[in-house]
Amino acid sequence: MHLQYVAGVPSKVLCFEPGENGGSWSVAANTSVGAGCGMTVFRGKVYIYGGIEKTAKGTTSTTSSAVFCLNPEAKSLNRVGDMTHALFGHGCVTILKTQ
């Protein structure tokens, strides 16, 4: 089974499971981050960087420096740190170095 994850949907990470009837979508996690975040995969976990987040009152938005880790097996999302600068609308990639 191969699952695909989409972040940047307002305050959610969605999971798509392809199937014979077109597949199905579910909410993998709720986050404070919305549009414009970057994502990459490393060691089976999905890392989500930056994006636009709403303030506590939800009336204004700000650029985020947050880094989240989604563990699909444990079905958990944790904030694991912050970038030195807040970013949105950026790309991410993982490069594995061979020894």
Side-chain angles (χ1 to χ4, degrees), residues 7-86:
V9 180
S11 302
K12 292 183 181 10
V13 178
L14 300 180
C15 177
F16 178 69
E17 183 175 354
E20 291 181 19
N21 297 324
S24 62
W25 289 93
S26 61
V27 175
N30 291 306
T31 70
S32 61
V33 177
C37 64
M39 294 175 63
T40 192
V41 176
F42 183 65
R43 294 186 177 161
K45 296 178 183 171
V46 179
Y47 289 86
I48 304 165
Y49 298 87
I52 303 294
E53 62 184 344
K54 290 191 175 187
T55 59
K57 294 183 181 181
T59 56
T60 59
S61 298
T62 184
T63 305
S64 175
S65 63
V67 179
F68 290 93
C69 177
L70 173 66
N71 183 337
E73 287 190 17
K75 297 182 179 174
S76 65
L77 179 77
N78 295 298
R79 187 172 183 155
V80 293
D82 286 279
M83 298 180 289
T84 56
H85 294 85

